[in-house]
């Protein structure tokens, strides 16, 4: 375990955890990749490192240049922390609807945070569009001084997941894996892991678990972007097909309502000591659906993307849940 590297050497190589209740309920072996153990606390540290390494190699991110990004939060934490390790400062545009815990965490990593209204992607005020415009403005003032990371459409995101997350899962299961499922924000995780596993064994089933309010499950199932309802989950779901998501090898897709995954998250805290965020809840519900589709005796892997501590005031707050008519655990 003796290592003498910087923060970047802490990214990746996360353990696979056995999810006891989900496995028992399905007769399958359901495993969760513990991405909440990453140095910045989420799977998006991989995205941050992958984007930064690629951009530095291609000369797009110059030494000392400012990193600019639009993010629901976790990518901002990853970019700020890992970027600082490489000598870069960060400006992060975030929708103001994100949890205060996550906004605080981005600030605590030293990033400059700009909170903007949550508007559809078509609106020029969208956080990702504002981030791109800001990077372009800085760069016009002083060429080479800023770089827009572009996690949604920069496929270095997906490629890094393919090389790391996907290959790790294959090695950790020693090839004994029948299905992989997760939700998609940029789509980098699902597309990258899906491509890695399909290249190893084309029979492995790849599934999308989508929150309500996202158009991706309908796109996979019917070829048309259509969404209904909403979700209290953060960082996942999309109204458009990003370049990272495009062409992902997906066999099955479901919309998972909040009332399905919230009890799983609450039970996981109480019975297994694991506190995870909402996207991980969607993922575990998706893993149960995939295990049921495959039948007993199979191995299904999913992702525990970040920690429940990042959503204390939502997922684990009785008043917040009751006000929305969502399931509340008796111990909350
Ligand atoms: N879960 C969480 C908590 C996230 O922050 C994100 C990224 N926004 C995702 C899942 C989705 O991952 P990806 O962008 O690779 O699709």
């Amino acid at each position: 375990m003796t290592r003498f590297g910087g923060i970047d050497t802490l990214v990746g190589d996360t353990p696979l955890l056995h999810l006891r209740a989900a496995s028992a309920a399905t007769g399958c072996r359901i495993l969760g990749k513990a991405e909440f153990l990453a140095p910045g606390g989420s799977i998006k540290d991989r995205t941050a490192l992958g984007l930064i390494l690629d951009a530095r190699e291609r000369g797009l991110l110059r030494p000392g240049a400012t990193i600019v990004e639009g993010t629901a939060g976790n990518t901002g934490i990853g970019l700020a922390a890992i970027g600082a390790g490489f000598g870069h400062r960060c400006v992060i545009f975030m929708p103001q609807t994100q949890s205060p815990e996550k906004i605080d965490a981005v600030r605590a990593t030293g990033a400059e945070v700009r909170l903007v209204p949550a508007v559809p992607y078509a609106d020029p005020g969208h956080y990702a569009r504002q981030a791109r415009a800001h990077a372009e403005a800085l760069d016009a003032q002083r060429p080479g001084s800023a770089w827009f990371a572009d996690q949604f459409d920069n496929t270095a995101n997906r490629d890094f997941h393919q090389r790391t997350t996907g290959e790790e899962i294959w090695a950790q299961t020693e090839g004994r894996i029948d299905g992989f499922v997760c939700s998609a924000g940029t789509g980098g995780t699902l597309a990258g892991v899906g491509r890695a596993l399909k290249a190893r064994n084309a029979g492995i089933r790849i599934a999308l678990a989508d929150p309500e309010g996202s158009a991706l499950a309908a796109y996979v199932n019917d070829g048309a972007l259509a969404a209904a309802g909403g979700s209290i989950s953060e960082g996942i779901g999309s109204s458009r097909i990003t370049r990272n998501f495009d062409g992902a090898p997906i066999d099955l897709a479901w919309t998972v309502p909040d009332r399905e995954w919230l009890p799983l998250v609450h039970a996981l805290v109480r019975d297994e000591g694991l506190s995870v965020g909402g996207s991980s809840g969607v993922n575990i519900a998706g893993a149960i659906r995939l295990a049921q589709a495959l039948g007993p005796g199979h191995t299904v892997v999913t992702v525990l993307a970040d920690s429940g501590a990042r959503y204390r005031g939502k997922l684990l707050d009785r008043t917040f849940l009751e006000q929305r008519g969502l399931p509340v655990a008796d111990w909350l």
Side-chain angles (χ1 to χ4, degrees):
M1 206 44 181
T2 311
R3 289 191 241 173
F4 295 97
I7 184 171
D8 52 300
T9 61
L10 293 175
V11 178
D13 279 330
T14 49
L16 276 183
L17 302 180
H18 181 248
L19 301 180
R20 211 161 54 211
S23 299
T26 56
C28 283
R29 182 170 68 145
I30 297 185
L31 307 173
K33 198 143 169 64
E35 293 299 306
F36 57 82
L37 293 177
S42 87
I43 185 139
K44 301 305 294 202
D45 284 5
R46 293 185 190 258
T47 304
L49 181 58
L51 293 172
I52 288 173
L53 289 178
D54 177 72
R56 284 172 66 92
E57 203 175 292
R58 292 197 286 139
L60 301 171
L61 176 58
R62 309 260 182 92
T66 300
I67 297 172
V68 187
E69 182 59 308
T71 149
N74 281 332
T75 306
I77 297 164
L79 283 172
I82 292 155
F86 285 97
H88 301 283
R89 308 248 47 91
C90 256
V91 180
I92 299 299
F93 286 77
M94 278 179 83
Q96 58 204 12
T97 46
Q98 301 306 292
S99 76
E101 294 93 325
K102 225 161 44 178
I103 296 167
D104 283 349
V106 181
R107 289 207 171 103
T109 52
E112 178 187 332
V113 176
R114 305 218 179 166
L115 292 178
V116 301
V119 293
Y121 184 74
D123 191 313
H126 185 267
Y127 63 96
R129 290 184 186 268
Q130 289 208 47
R132 180 191 291 275
H134 184 66
E136 284 171 0
L138 287 179
D139 215 49
Q141 266 171 24
R142 207 155 53 82
S145 66
W147 167 69
F148 175 50
D150 199 11
Q151 58 164 334
F152 290 95
D153 294 309
N154 181 345
T155 50
N157 170 6
R158 175 196 72 199
D159 296 347
F160 195 76
H161 277 294
Q162 185 169 349
R163 284 203 307 280
T164 68
T165 327
E167 289 301 326
E168 285 170 32
I169 290 170
W170 176 257
Q172 285 170 303
T173 56
E174 296 171 325
R176 289 195 291 276
I177 167 171
D178 304 290
F180 174 81
V181 56
C182 73
S183 46
T186 65
T189 310
L190 184 61
V193 173
R195 286 157 70 112
L197 294 177
K198 288 279 189 191
R200 293 288 187 173
N201 172 2
I204 297 172
R205 314 295 281 170
I206 305 297
L208 165 73
D210 210 24
E212 283 192 336
S214 171
L216 297 176
Y219 177 79
V220 173
N221 289 325
D222 313 319
L225 287 163
S231 171
I232 62 165
S233 63
E234 294 182 23
I236 55 172
S238 182
S239 57
R240 71 179 179 104
I241 303 304
T242 63
R243 283 193 62 206
N244 279 295
F245 187 89
D246 198 18
I250 302 169
D251 301 300
L252 296 147
W254 304 282
T255 300
V256 179
D258 288 356
R259 63 181 179 280
E260 180 174 332
W261 60 261
L262 267 165
L264 300 172
V265 167
H266 294 152
L268 199 63
V269 176
R270 191 196 51 201
D271 302 332
E272 301 182 53
L274 291 170
S275 177
V276 298
S279 74
S280 305
V282 173
N283 290 351
I284 295 166
I288 291 172
R289 287 192 186 211
L290 181 55
Q292 283 166 344
L294 292 170
H298 293 94
T299 293
V300 170
V301 175
T302 191
V303 168
L304 308 178
D306 68 356
S307 158
R310 227 150 242 188
Y311 313 94
R312 172 72 188 81
K314 280 186 174 178
L315 304 185
L316 303 175
D317 187 275
R318 169 173 286 274
T319 312
F320 177 90
L321 295 169
E322 273 176 358
Q323 278 170 351
R324 287 158 184 80
L326 289 167
V328 181
D330 50 8
W331 56 271
L332 277 179

